[in-house]
Amino acid sequence: MVTPQDLINGIKEYYPNVDESLIERAYLFALTKHGTQIRESGDPFFFHPLEVAEILISLRMDQDTVIAGMLHDTIEDTNTTIDELGKIFGNNVANMVEGVSKLSKFESSSIAEKQAENFKKLLISAASDIRILIIKLADRLHNMKTLKFKKKKVRRQYIAKETLEIYAPLAERIGVTKVKDELQDIAFTELYPDIYNSIKSRLNHLYESSEHIISTITSKLTELAISLDISCTISGRIKSPYSIWSKMNVRNISFEQLADIMAFRIVVDNVAQCYQMLGGIHKNYLVVPNRFRDYISTPKNNNYQSLHTSVIGPLNKKIEIQIRTKEMHLVAEYGIAAHWDYKENGSRTKVDHQWINNLVHILENASGMEEFWENSKTEISSNAVYCITPKGNIVSLPKGSSVLDFAYSIHSDVGNSAIESRLNGQLVPLNTKIENGDQVEILTDQNHIPEPHWEDYVVTLKAKTAIKKALNSLEKERIFMIGRSNFYEFFKWHNVDISEKDVQAIAKNLKFDSATQLFYSIGTCELTMSDVLSTYNEIKQTGLKLIIDNSESCKNTLPIRNLPNIPVLPVTCCSPVPGDRIVGIISRGKGIEIHIEECQISNNQIDGQEKRLIPLSWSKEAFDEKVRYLAKLAIVVVYEPGNLSAIATIIEGKNGNIINLKIGEKFEKFARIQIELEISDIAQLTIIMAALRSAEFIQKVTRT
Ligand code: MN
């Protein structure tokens, strides 16, 4: 059995000034009070608070919390009073035990309303002292560890479900990863024994060979670190059945497809080394696309920081790698407990938990407990994000919502006229995802209209509907304009001066009520210009011939909206990507070139006679993420070893795909580099250029 001295030694590891006699006293107090009480497992009841105290020590909790953990069931299950605890162990301990005791009915209730009521108590207690929540989590963890002794299956399943829905997300939310992982794994075993067993047996099969694999990969990564002059600790492990299962669920893939069941953690001394190590790994191993995450520059809402990437590592194994500093590692393991300050007699420093206050705020404003319960479940399980308006109001949005969703949630007019946004004071693109606690401000311009690709920026129904509605009316207008310009363009092209009367006659002949409808049909490509021409010939009794066969042109694959029905000519001076402002240059008798509006070469060529300029715009299809476009960048860089791979890392980190890289002229210590890359639109290109510009060794980034 665990002795008082075991506990004292445990605390001493991180808090040498522990009050030994007080710990002994708490131990004896709990032992005496619980006396001969027995748990369902057949063990003495006292084992339970003792285990809870040990869990709290493993989380490096302060002395008062450990004592409160040891005493947490005394008020509920014995004749102990709060006053009694206060006199012996101080008010801090007494308050915590009282806070935990108020919550004890939470577990035995099965009615949603009552459960919600108790959950409300849990939050209010946590808001007054977050340590109450941590004791409750330790209590739940031990109860889960002994869950198998509960006789009623319904009870076990209920507790397991509640653990997955409430306690594990709460543990994750305050960053106590160790507790979260254990809670999830035990609950998973109870709720889905078949899935658990099948994953476990496949893992066991892999385990047989994996020990050797893990040590080989670890030593390869260590060699790499040494070659980069980085001292670090590397550990490898097989992921837990629950995390494998949830990945299979989230990404909707099978066990076989989920190749990266091995995860490696590299703990280094400082932030610079994190990125150096990442650069080294990306340089030496094939990077799995879309898996790189930089939680150092953008920490998770529980303060977790780390770099994540997946590569085809040593032995050609697909592995996940996390890179972080020692401090980040402590936070990753212990969450808020890592921030404890033990300088002043083992007590805590105040840690701000705005999210709990937010929940309490909702709680005070929700119309019924049921509604609150639903809201809270989404809040703690992070299916919702909470952000703050410039006036300080809290707005809740589904997880994954963008700044633009926020704008539409305020009012559809705000959304429709949004031009820029500030997130915590920084200018950000409208598709930036909102994190909990972000302060969001929208800048509007009444003349601005929604853009087609906005539909991909939003997740909320309200925003999607509003954008669609606005686009539909804009689209109609645009189609009309395109049709009309194509019509007149076509006749000019054929050197025909067409009169208003002719237009009306053509429309009538083709059974349209008005010229507007005629133009609209041309705009939608329902009516081709060769049909129009034959009608014109009929009316005018002329034999005008089609100069360029445009029967194919409406099937033009370029996602450009108002492209006239003439051939598209290749250009080399610039490479427009969706989102760029583009112009067409029509060369008489040849066709049309498409340029970026700012392109100097194109602008210089216009002479008004042989070449004419027409404005063009991208169609919605252009913003399909699956379609990639070529973009060219010129970068002036300090020419030093490693800088090229660092550039590649930056670009790949933003999901750009480099297809060509050429080193051009060198001057002094600088070099000019030409990069061709594939990207999906201007927004992504802008992000890549901004990331490159923020690198110290990069002098200049321009598009070419
Ligand atoms: Mn308990």
Side-chain angles (χ1 to χ4, degrees):
M1 196 168 96
V2 178
T3 65
Q5 199 53 49
D6 293 336
L7 299 180
I8 289 162
N9 291 343
I11 301 173
K12 271 189 178 168
E13 297 245 334
Y14 56 90
Y15 180 58
N17 297 333
V18 58
D19 183 343
E20 301 195 17
S21 65
L22 202 62
I23 298 286
E24 281 165 2
R25 210 161 167 194
Y27 185 98
L28 277 175
F29 189 90
L31 180 65
T32 319
K33 287 285 186 179
H34 288 296
T36 54
Q37 291 173 351
I38 298 287
R39 288 194 26 117
E40 252 185 281
S41 61
D43 282 337
F45 190 91
F46 174 61
F47 282 14
H48 167 66
L50 200 53
E51 294 273 358
V52 169
E54 282 205 286
I55 292 169
L56 291 168
I57 291 171
S58 80
L59 293 173
R60 307 158 64 93
M61 294 305 295
D62 64 299
Q63 175 177 300
D64 278 354
T65 310
V66 175
I67 291 173
M70 205 142 37
L71 305 171
H72 80 271
D73 276 329
T74 53
I75 291 185
E76 184 66 24
D77 294 338
T78 75
N79 60 4
T80 311
T81 64
I82 298 166
D83 289 346
E84 198 179 349
L85 291 180
K87 277 186 196 118
I88 308 173
F89 302 103
N91 284 338
N92 265 336
V93 171
N95 288 341
M96 278 191 266
V97 175
E98 188 190 14
V100 176
S101 302
K102 277 185 183 163
L103 310 168
S104 57
K105 286 207 182 63
F106 189 23
E107 283 166 40
S108 53
S109 152
S110 59
I111 309 156
E113 185 86 357
K114 202 163 186 190
Q115 192 177 32
E117 190 61 46
N118 283 305
F119 181 64
K120 178 176 158 183
K121 285 186 199 159
L122 174 64
L123 285 170
I124 292 170
S125 311
S128 72
D129 191 338
I130 190 84
R131 293 178 296 181
I132 293 171
L133 177 58
I134 299 177
I135 296 171
K136 198 64 202 156
L137 287 171
D139 179 37
R140 174 53 64 117
L141 178 55
H142 184 246
N143 285 337
M144 286 303 283
K145 283 179 171 177
T146 52
L147 186 66
K148 55 179 181 286
F149 298 111
K150 283 222 177 295
K151 285 173 193 83
K152 282 191 195 153
K153 191 182 175 192
V154 190
R155 271 306 287 159
R156 290 201 308 269
Q157 300 239 319
Y158 174 81
I159 292 170
K161 204 161 167 270
E162 192 183 60
T163 300
L164 270 192
E165 279 182 2
I166 297 165
Y167 287 95
L170 278 174
E172 179 168 31
R173 192 60 187 70
I174 59 171
V176 197
T177 313
K178 286 165 77 148
V179 174
K180 181 212 74 176
D181 286 346
E182 269 191 281
L183 287 176
Q184 282 175 336
D185 268 339
I186 305 170
F188 177 53
T189 322
E190 177 63 39
L191 289 173
Y192 308 100
D194 296 343
I195 305 174
Y196 176 85
N197 287 331
S198 101
I199 294 178
K200 192 74 193 162
S201 72
R202 291 188 209 206
L203 284 180
N204 284 345
H205 177 70
L206 286 162
Y207 262 125
E208 286 169 19
S209 51
S210 66
E211 217 165 293
H212 154 74
I213 295 173
I214 286 179
S215 67
T216 310
I217 294 177
T218 306
S219 60
K220 285 279 176 201
L221 291 175
T222 309
E223 278 171 33
L224 176 63
I226 291 168
S227 78
L228 293 168
D229 208 15
I230 295 172
S231 69
C232 62
T233 321
I234 301 180
S235 59
R237 67 192 163 89
I238 301 268
K239 289 183 187 169
S240 74
Y242 180 81
S243 83
I244 288 173
W245 180 69
S246 61
K247 283 228 162 94
M248 281 160 66
N249 265 347
V250 170
R251 284 190 240 140
N252 202 8
I253 49 176
S254 69
F255 189 85
E256 282 69 26
Q257 288 171 283
L258 191 80
D260 51 345
I261 52 156
M262 271 182 278
F264 290 80
R265 180 173 301 143
I266 305 174
V267 179
V268 299
D269 288 334
N270 55 51
V271 174
Q273 288 181 344
C274 290
Y275 289 99
Q276 273 167 28
M277 194 65 207
L278 178 78
I281 288 166
H282 280 185
K283 192 176 167 189
N284 283 276
Y285 300 106
L286 198 64
V287 180
V288 180
N290 298 325
R291 299 291 296 279
F292 173 69
R293 298 282 179 279
D294 185 346
Y295 293 120
I296 292 182
S297 61
T298 322
K300 287 193 187 180
N301 57 15
N302 58 13
N303 295 326
Y304 174 89
Q305 286 187 296
S306 208
L307 297 175
H308 288 192
T309 189
S310 287
V311 296
I312 310 298
L315 306 174
N316 276 331
K317 294 282 175 197
K318 191 166 155 196
I319 53 171
E320 189 183 289
I321 298 178
Q322 303 172 345
I323 309 167
R324 52 176 86 140
T325 66
K326 285 170 189 155
E327 289 76 25
M328 292 172 193
H329 185 56
L330 269 178
V331 174
E333 295 278 292
Y334 301 109
I336 52 160
H339 297 302
W340 249 238
D341 185 355
Y342 295 107
K343 273 170 227 149
E344 290 162 31
N345 54 32
S347 68
R348 71 195 182 117
T349 49
K350 187 111 183 123
V351 186
D352 187 30
H353 288 286
Q354 184 57 41
W355 64 280
I356 294 182
N357 297 331
N358 289 349
L359 267 184
V360 174
H361 175 87
I362 300 165
L363 184 143
E364 280 155 1
N365 290 296
S367 52
M369 279 317 290
E370 300 271 7
E371 186 197 331
F372 166 67
W373 182 237
E374 280 313 307
N375 281 338
S376 328
K377 270 204 280 195
T378 53
E379 156 72 337
I380 48 168
S381 63
S382 352
N383 286 328
V385 287
Y386 287 78
C387 53
I388 304 157
T389 68
K391 284 183 186 151
N393 294 325
I394 295 170
V395 174
S396 89
L397 292 165
K399 194 178 180 185
S401 290
S402 64
V403 168
L404 195 56
D405 280 302
F406 170 86
Y408 277 99
S409 80
I410 303 292
H411 196 280
S412 54
D413 286 346
V414 178
N416 284 339
S417 56
I419 42 164
E420 273 178 354
S421 54
R422 277 179 216 278
L423 204 63
N424 307 318
Q426 301 278 325
L427 266 182
V428 297
L430 289 170
N431 61 345
T432 308
K433 298 259 183 282
I434 293 174
E435 300 280 340
N436 265 329
D438 278 344
Q439 183 156 42
V440 194
E441 186 184 349
I442 302 291
L443 312 175
T444 58
D445 175 354
Q446 287 314 313
N447 295 321
H448 192 261
I449 47 171
E451 289 167 37
H453 54 278
W454 277 14
E455 282 186 271
D456 301 326
Y457 283 9
V458 296
V459 298
T460 53
L461 193 65
K462 189 178 179 190
K464 275 196 192 298
T465 319
I467 293 171
K468 195 157 268 149
K469 197 176 154 203
L471 287 178
N472 276 345
S473 66
L474 285 171
E475 186 69 11
K476 282 206 177 116
E477 200 183 315
R478 278 206 197 104
I479 290 171
F480 164 78
M481 303 283 276
I482 293 160
R484 190 176 62 177
S485 100
N486 273 5
F487 180 90
Y488 286 109
E489 200 66 50
F490 177 86
F491 282 103
K492 251 186 247 170
W493 188 262
H494 288 78
N495 287 320
V496 175
D497 230 356
I498 193 149
S499 72
E500 189 61 28
K501 235 172 117 190
D502 295 336
V503 179
Q504 296 298 340
I506 293 171
K508 202 175 165 208
N509 203 284
L510 284 165
K511 311 249 181 305
F512 288 108
D513 286 342
S514 62
T516 311
Q517 281 192 11
L518 168 74
F519 295 147
Y520 191 79
S521 284
I522 297 169
T524 58
C525 294
E526 278 161 42
L527 183 69
T528 67
M529 283 312 294
S530 64
D531 295 334
V532 174
L533 184 65
S534 40
T535 311
Y536 176 82
N537 281 338
E538 234 173 79
I539 296 166
K540 290 288 198 181
Q541 297 293 312
T542 49
L544 205 59
K545 287 220 169 52
L546 211 54
I547 297 179
I548 293 159
D549 185 356
N550 65 356
S551 54
E552 280 297 304
S553 63
C554 266
K555 293 181 192 122
N556 203 317
T557 51
L558 279 175
I560 292 172
R561 216 193 291 268
N562 32 356
L563 206 56
N565 298 321
I566 50 175
V568 174
L569 308 169
V571 295
T572 51
C573 48
C574 62
S575 36
V577 300
D580 275 329
R581 285 210 294 234
I582 45 174
V583 293
I585 298 172
I586 298 177
S587 303
R588 210 175 172 80
K590 284 189 206 147
I592 185 167
E593 290 177 1
I594 298 159
H595 293 267
I596 297 175
E597 205 177 85
E598 294 84 7
C599 177
Q600 290 301 313
I601 296 174
S602 68
N603 289 342
N604 289 342
Q605 283 181 352
I606 300 154
D607 55 17
Q609 286 294 314
E610 292 301 303
K611 293 192 173 191
R612 283 186 311 107
L613 202 68
I614 63 158
L616 296 173
S617 70
W618 297 95
S619 69
K620 195 186 147 196
E621 290 70 33
F623 297 93
D624 181 350
E625 267 183 42
K626 278 165 253 136
V627 188
R628 309 281 277 177
Y629 295 86
L630 182 77
K632 295 176 191 166
L633 294 180
I635 302 175
V636 177
V637 60
V638 177
Y639 198 64
E640 269 169 12
N643 283 352
L644 284 189
S645 71
I647 289 174
T649 304
I650 292 170
I651 292 174
E652 275 154 17
K654 305 293 178 197
N655 294 328
N657 185 24
I658 299 178
I659 47 179
N660 198 1
L661 189 152
K662 252 193 324 213
I663 300 172
E665 66 223 273
K666 288 183 197 159
F667 29 92
E668 310 221 338
K669 57 181 181 169
F670 296 107
R672 196 178 156 86
I673 295 167
Q674 297 279 356
I675 294 182
E676 287 178 19
L677 65 164
E678 278 180 341
I679 44 103
S680 57
D681 59 22
I682 187 72
Q684 191 195 359
L685 186 63
T686 312
I687 289 167
I688 289 174
M689 289 173 71
L692 289 168
R693 284 185 183 126
S694 68
E696 258 175 45
F697 58 91
I698 291 176
Q699 292 288 307
K700 202 177 165 193
V701 182
T702 45
R703 284 182 69 183
T704 58

